[in-house]
Amino acid sequence: MSARGVFVTFEGIEGSGKTTQARRLSARLLTKSVSHIVTREPGGTPLADQLRSILLAPREETVFPETELLLYQAARAQHVRGLLLPALEDGKAVLCDRFYDATFAYQAHARGLEAETVGMLNRFASGDLVPDLTLLFDLPPELGISRASRRGAADRIERESLDFHRAVRNGYLAIYKNDTSRIVLIDASAPEEEVFRKLQETVTERFGW
Ligand code: Z5A
């Protein structure tokens, strides 16, 4: 039986470059024949992808924070059991674009839901799965939004105010301060190549990648 795989999560506000960096790390792992998968939240299985579409579609009807929280957790419960745990048990590394820190940053810090409730539901949905490493890509929201806006139509969350995105960033920084051994803070305002260099240093030191 192979050893359990390594679980790495990529976090940050929108436009922080996590998806770009996850793709770059995946390309590097391919050259080193490290067996891995790249996935994202919400999403990663057919049902979780449907929940993602529901969550991100702009709509007239008010989506209450409680509803949003439960839908993110439903997608996570499916993703963890349907994709993440089987891959990790199979010895594969998992690179995951967002995981439960996003729920603390968005639903607790920015939407104002009780952190204790969010924490309890995070543990329930993730089945107590904890990332081995979390890379937090930090940059001013103004820069992140301007980068993300180059991509075209904004989704429901991207349409939130600048103050909302500031609250998300502050939420992430508060989470980082409480867990500096699992989370590595990376200055994402730097050029793409420089950001990747810092990421590479971190994963080489931790996992020999
Ligand atoms: N959400 C939530 O509320 N609660 C939860 O529990 C979870 C999620 C799990 C979907 O996430 C939304 O769900 C998200 C949070 C919420 N909404 N928001 N906002 P998502 O990850 O799918 O969507 P996203 O955060 O909006 O990701 P993104 O906009 O795709 O950002 P990114 O992945 O960090 O950036 P990117 O796609 O890699 O790069 C964006 C652009 O910048 C692109 O043109 C790049 O070429 C460019 N780029 C990247 N790096 C650089 C550097 N270093 N310099 C210059 N330009 C760069």
Side-chain angles (χ1 to χ4, degrees):
M1 210 175 87
S2 47
R4 179 192 177 276
V6 167
F7 181 33
V8 181
T9 58
F10 292 68
E11 298 279 4
I13 61 165
E14 74 163 299
S16 56
K18 3 172 223 71
T19 312
T20 304
Q21 296 296 331
R23 280 201 201 115
R24 291 192 68 150
L25 179 57
S26 170
R28 179 177 164 85
L29 294 187
L30 280 176
T31 67
K32 296 184 146 253
S33 303
V34 175
S35 174
H36 69 281
I37 61 164
V38 183
T39 183
R40 66 177 178 185
E41 286 209 345
T45 79
L47 173 56
D49 281 336
Q50 279 186 322
L51 290 169
R52 177 186 179 91
S53 305
I54 290 171
L55 274 160
L56 298 186
R59 61 183 74 241
E60 300 267 306
E61 183 182 354
T62 302
V63 180
F64 298 102
E66 293 81 357
T67 312
E68 191 181 73
L69 171 65
L70 292 170
L71 287 171
Y72 277 115
Q73 299 293 11
R76 176 163 304 133
Q78 189 68 16
H79 186 215
V80 166
R81 290 155 186 83
L83 184 71
L84 301 190
L85 289 177
L88 291 168
E89 277 155 21
D90 204 23
K92 291 185 182 129
V94 170
L95 310 185
C96 188
D97 195 337
R98 295 194 187 280
F99 194 54
Y100 58 44
D101 293 317
T103 324
F104 271 121
Y106 282 84
Q107 279 65 51
H109 285 266
R111 296 275 193 232
L113 292 174
E114 209 180 43
E116 210 175 296
T117 308
V118 171
M120 186 269 288
L121 288 170
N122 271 351
R123 286 189 297 279
F124 180 69
S126 64
D128 289 327
L129 177 65
V130 177
D132 298 295
L133 170 69
T134 294
L135 300 160
L136 173 54
F137 298 91
D138 179 60
L139 81 176
E142 293 85 344
L143 182 54
I145 290 166
S146 102
R147 281 183 189 172
S149 65
R150 283 186 232 136
R151 245 184 347 213
D155 66 34
R156 191 176 60 82
I157 314 285
E158 286 167 353
R159 290 178 182 199
E160 290 290 347
S161 67
L162 188 56
D163 279 349
F164 177 86
H165 293 288
R166 286 198 182 112
V168 173
R169 183 195 195 189
N170 291 337
Y172 271 126
L173 292 175
I175 297 164
Y176 163 69
K177 282 190 190 121
N178 276 328
D179 200 350
T180 51
S181 55
R182 171 176 64 89
I183 306 174
V184 172
L185 189 68
I186 295 183
D187 175 10
S189 63
E192 193 183 309
E193 197 58 45
E194 211 174 301
V195 176
F196 188 62
R197 212 172 306 125
K198 168 77 180 159
L199 181 164
Q200 230 177 291
E201 250 173 57
T202 305
V203 298
T204 303
E205 189 189 301
R206 299 247 181 159
F207 313 122
W209 288 347

